[in-house]
């Protein structure tokens, strides 16, 4: 079903196309997904919205499914947050009931110490990220690796921090010379 309006679909592709066209929901950085099959991630997003009644963008928690859906649609939060994570992570805790011979899952809240998004585990960012033994994603901070001839700091990820002596050069705007035609001879 759709995460935001409960419309039913036969397959995941139909639901994803509907959520993208009607609600603007999309998976960011699809090229960096570890697995192109996103059913596990969609299941976790559905669990976050449907069971925990939690917005996947601002991590605000609500009392009902209808209220979290209204919040996400009204504030255009029909997207997933990869930068920051929720304060609490909900883990299933299986309870076995011997009298009735069945078991059911209760979710207990655990404080999110790292503050990372719960959806980062589905993405692969290459060299800049390492994963520790618990499966938590650790970002590698860019460091300054060189100083070029213009006294600019060059980071190991390729970005450049300019020197204040070159401020006039950075602010300069060049005219577009392609609009001028060459004189006819």
């Amino acid at each position: 079903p759709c995460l935001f309006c409960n419309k039913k679909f036969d397959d995941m592709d139909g639901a994803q196309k509907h959520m993208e066209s009607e609600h603007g929901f999309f998976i960011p950085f699809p090229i960096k997904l570890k697995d192109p099959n996103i059913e596990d991630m969609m299941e976790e997003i559905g669990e976050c919205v449907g069971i925990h009644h939690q917005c996947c963008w601002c991590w605000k928690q609500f009392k009902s499914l209808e209220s979290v859906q209204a919040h996400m649609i009204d504030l255009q939060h029909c997207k997933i947050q990869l930068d920051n994570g929720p304060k609490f992570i909900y883990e299933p805790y299986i309870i076995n009931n011997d009298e009735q011979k069945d078991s059911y899952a209760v979710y207990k809240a655990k404080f999110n110490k790292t503050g990372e998004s719960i959806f980062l585990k589905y993405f692969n960012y290459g060299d800049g990220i390492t994963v520790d033994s618990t499966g938590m994603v650790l970002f590698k901070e860019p460091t300054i690796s060189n100083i070029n001839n213009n006294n600019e700091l060059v980071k190991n990820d390729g970005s450049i921090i300019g020197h204040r002596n070159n401020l006039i050069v950075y602010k300069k705007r060049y005219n577009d010379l392609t609009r001028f035609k060459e004189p006819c001879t």
Side-chain angles (χ1 to χ4, degrees), residues 111-122:
F111 186 70
N112 186 2
K113 295 175 187 171
T114 62
E116 298 295 332
S117 175
I118 57 176
F119 305 120
L120 271 179
K121 60 186 170 192
Y122 297 105

Side-chain angles (χ1 to χ4, degrees), residues 18-80:
H18 162 78
M19 288 188 286
E20 187 172 349
S21 64
E22 295 295 320
H23 307 293
F25 177 79
F26 65 96
I27 303 297
F29 311 115
I31 206 162
K32 296 193 182 272
L33 284 171
K34 287 182 181 177
D35 185 8
N37 185 2
I38 60 168
E39 289 185 13
D40 292 338
M41 182 169 58
M42 291 300 291
E43 186 176 314
E44 188 160 356
I45 295 169
E47 195 174 285
C48 183
V49 173
I51 295 175
H52 308 304
H53 309 304
Q54 194 169 19
C55 175
C56 293
W57 182 253
C58 67
W59 305 110
K60 187 174 181 181
Q61 201 160 17
F62 296 88
K63 292 185 178 185
S64 68
L65 175 63
E66 292 79 20
S67 58
V68 71
Q69 287 173 334
H71 162 82
M72 292 178 83
I73 290 172
D74 293 343
L75 295 181
Q76 297 177 353
H77 283 190
C78 299
K79 47 193 170 186
I80 60 173

Side-chain angles (χ1 to χ4, degrees), residues 138-155:
L138 306 171
F139 287 96
K140 185 175 166 186
E141 290 291 325
T143 57
I144 296 170
S145 62
N146 191 11
I147 299 176
N148 64 13
N149 295 337
N150 297 327
N151 290 331
E152 297 169 328
L153 304 176
V154 180
K155 293 184 179 180

Side-chain angles (χ1 to χ4, degrees), residues 62-172:
F62 296 88
K63 292 185 178 185
S64 68
L65 175 63
E66 292 79 20
S67 58
V68 71
Q69 287 173 334
H71 162 82
M72 292 178 83
I73 290 172
D74 293 343
L75 295 181
Q76 297 177 353
H77 283 190
C78 299
K79 47 193 170 186
I80 60 173
Q81 176 72 266
L82 295 179
D83 294 335
N84 302 316
K87 290 182 183 176
F88 297 101
I89 299 172
Y90 296 93
E91 294 180 345
Y93 178 69
I94 307 298
I95 295 177
N96 292 323
N97 191 349
D98 293 335
E99 296 172 4
Q100 297 178 357
K101 304 270 192 282
D102 61 348
S103 61
Y104 56 94
V106 175
Y107 291 89
K108 63 179 183 177
K110 183 176 128 184
F111 186 70
N112 186 2
K113 295 175 187 171
T114 62
E116 298 295 332
S117 175
I118 57 176
F119 305 120
L120 271 179
K121 60 186 170 192
Y122 297 105
F123 293 91
N124 184 14
Y125 286 96
D127 294 337
I129 288 185
T130 55
V131 179
D132 67 359
S133 60
T134 62
M136 291 301 291
V137 178
L138 306 171
F139 287 96
K140 185 175 166 186
E141 290 291 325
T143 57
I144 296 170
S145 62
N146 191 11
I147 299 176
N148 64 13
N149 295 337
N150 297 327
N151 290 331
E152 297 169 328
L153 304 176
V154 180
K155 293 184 179 180
N156 59 354
D157 63 353
S159 60
I160 297 174
I161 302 173
H163 195 274
R164 64 178 161 197
N165 290 346
N166 301 332
L167 187 62
I168 294 172
V169 176
Y170 299 141
K171 285 188 173 181
K172 191 178 246 185

